Amino acid sequence: MRALLTASVILGLWMAGGCGGKSQPSGPPVPAVVPPMGALAVGQAAQAAAEQRVDSRKLIFNGTLELLIKDYQAAASGISSLVQSHNGYIAAQNESNLAESHRSGTWTLRVPPDRFDALMAACAALGEVRRREVRVQDVTEEFVDLEARERSKKVEEERLLELLKTASSSLEDVLAVEKELTRVREEIERIQGRLRLLSQQTGYATLTLTISQLGITPPERPLGLIAEMSASFFSSLRGLIMLGQTCLVAAAAVVPWLIVVVPIGVFVYWNSRSKRPGRPIFPRENATGPA
């Protein structure tokens, strides 16, 4: 009975396997087809990853722009609002006014890196471009290296702190660990300072803008009689004042020599006078006597 039951089970399994094999067609497997929307999503994801890698770069933008303009005052007064419209600020400003027809100024503008090109284009539209220069420095490798060194030094600092806690009571051992700990902390501070500087330089781009106004000096207007007399009087007065100042300066220069020369002259004078033969008090009478 048991043998018959076992044979029945084996026969049933064999028939089920045969039926299942006939229901599935033979042949190579059909590859899965990715729908167009899925391919587009994959392409967008790859592009986003590439853009993220580009954005992660640490770049320092420095630009120089020199302009020649017609209306200096209008351009200079609009620079502040121009840089503010690009989410930036003025870091430094220097203006010179040699004459009404020759005015110039230099501004150091700081803007986010993504607004650097737009700001330069807006500034270039103010006048005639005489010089344009853009310098881009990639400090990504240095930034990554500094971050790695900072992490390594912090791990070393933690190990030294643990070693300091478990150090023996020997004073030399404690002092050696503290000395090494001080050195590691100084290196960490230097690395962090450099990272802060790079972050500031990469966080904002720098544009040095110089504008100049060159024109023809206007002709002088003819003066009236009273104006000419007044100008002549004040010119003579200035000349007299200058002459008096010159005399005072010359007198001040001569005074030290007088202090030395005058006593010497007086001494020489009295010395030479004392050596002269004196005159007789009574006049010498003629040898022949009175007439």
Side-chain angles (χ1 to χ4, degrees):
M1 187 68 181
R2 184 178 298 175
L4 182 61
L5 182 60
T6 303
S8 299
V9 171
I10 293 173
L11 180 62
L13 291 174
W14 178 80
M15 290 180 66
C19 294
K22 291 180 181 179
S23 63
Q24 295 180 357
S26 61
V30 179
V33 179
V34 180
M37 186 59 68
L40 181 60
V42 173
Q44 290 178 350
Q47 183 179 0
E51 291 179 354
Q52 184 176 4
R53 287 194 300 269
V54 172
D55 293 339
S56 63
R57 291 185 303 171
K58 300 295 183 179
L59 303 177
I60 300 176
F61 291 88
N62 287 294
T64 301
L65 188 63
E66 295 181 2
L67 303 176
L68 180 63
I69 62 174
K70 296 180 180 180
D71 191 351
Y72 175 86
Q73 187 61 36
S77 59
I79 290 176
S80 178
S81 59
L82 181 63
V83 69
Q84 288 179 3
S85 65
H86 290 81
N87 301 327
Y89 63 95
I90 299 176
Q93 179 178 351
N94 184 16
E95 294 185 76
S96 61
N97 186 9
L98 300 178
E100 187 64 25
S101 58
H102 188 180
R103 305 177 65 183
S104 63
T106 301
W107 288 261
T108 302
L109 311 179
R110 303 293 305 278
V111 293
D114 58 344
R115 305 293 299 171
F116 178 75
D117 293 335
L119 177 64
M120 177 167 281
C123 292
L126 296 175
E128 179 183 353
V129 178
R130 288 299 182 91
R131 181 189 173 197
R132 186 200 304 264
E133 182 180 356
V134 177
R135 300 176 301 278
V136 182
Q137 182 182 0
D138 191 347
V139 294
T140 306
E141 184 177 355
E142 181 182 2
F143 201 91
V144 173
D145 179 65
L146 288 172
E147 287 182 336
R149 288 175 56 193
E150 182 185 15
R151 289 192 297 268
S152 175
K153 292 299 178 181
K154 285 185 176 180
V155 171
E156 186 177 356
E157 180 186 16
E158 292 177 358
R159 291 177 179 175
L160 289 173
L161 289 174
E162 292 294 332
L163 184 61
L164 187 62
K165 293 178 181 178
T166 59
S168 62
S169 58
S170 174
L171 181 60
E172 294 182 358
D173 295 341
V174 173
L175 291 177
V177 174
E178 289 182 348
K179 182 178 180 181
E180 189 68 15
L181 184 62
T182 302
R183 181 189 64 82
V184 172
R185 285 177 174 174
E186 289 177 354
E187 292 184 3
I188 292 176
E189 291 177 357
R190 285 196 296 267
I191 293 173
Q192 291 177 345
R194 180 61 180 171
L195 284 173
R196 284 193 297 269
L197 178 61
L198 291 178
S199 299
Q200 293 174 0
Q201 292 178 340
T202 56
Y204 278 86
T206 303
L207 175 61
T208 303
L209 175 64
T210 302
I211 61 175
S212 301
Q213 176 180 356
L214 296 177
I216 301 175
T217 304
E220 298 181 358
R221 298 179 180 179
L223 300 177
L225 178 60
I226 297 178
E228 290 182 357
M229 292 175 61
S230 176
S232 178
F233 172 77
F234 285 107
S235 178
S236 299
L237 181 61
R238 285 193 296 270
L240 181 61
I241 293 174
M242 292 178 63
L243 178 61
Q245 292 177 350
T246 304
C247 293
L248 290 176
V249 172
V254 171
V255 166
W257 292 95
L258 293 177
I259 296 175
V260 177
V261 172
V262 169
I264 296 176
V266 171
F267 174 76
V268 171
Y269 173 75
W270 285 106
N271 190 23
S272 61
R273 186 173 180 181
S274 62
K275 291 182 179 180
R276 293 179 183 177
R279 294 182 178 180
I281 299 176
F282 300 101
R284 184 180 297 175
E285 295 181 356
N286 295 330
T288 56

